[in-house]
Amino acid sequence: KRMRNECIALADQINDEFYRGFAVHQIINMCIVAKDLTIARALLVSVRDNFLRDQIFETAPVLRRRDEDGER
């Protein structure tokens, strides 16, 4: 948890939106491995770049929101 929080704090300091999103993507990957989906979903909200969001959904499809039918 401490390392995750340090990584998030460092990512927040990155000025370039794409690079910040890339850093957050790596933190999300770490959260997925640690089975911390709540934090991963919270971090996903901060990624605004559509390309990066698509990449995140490719590597972590569990983060996709599902409608009532289970469809995307």
Side-chain angles (χ1 to χ4, degrees):
K1 288 183 181 183
R2 183 181 59 81
M3 182 184 288
R4 179 197 66 212
N5 292 339
E6 287 178 20
C7 290
I8 292 170
L10 288 171
D12 284 342
Q13 294 176 13
I14 299 172
N15 292 326
D16 184 277
E17 186 175 332
F18 181 82
Y19 288 117
R20 183 176 48 250
F22 182 82
V24 169
H25 181 187
Q26 301 313 307
I27 298 167
I28 289 172
N29 288 341
M30 180 177 63
C31 290
I32 296 298
V33 170
K35 306 213 183 306
D36 194 349
L37 298 180
T38 303
I39 297 295
R41 285 187 178 103
L43 289 169
L44 181 61
V45 172
S46 71
V47 178
R48 306 241 183 263
D49 186 275
N50 288 330
F51 174 78
L52 287 174
R53 289 181 71 81
D54 289 342
Q55 293 297 309
I56 292 168
F57 289 138
E58 265 186 46
T59 59
V62 69
L63 296 179
R64 288 187 191 274
R65 293 200 179 259
R66 305 279 182 188
D67 64 20
E68 294 173 16
D69 298 325
E71 299 292 322
R72 191 180 129 175

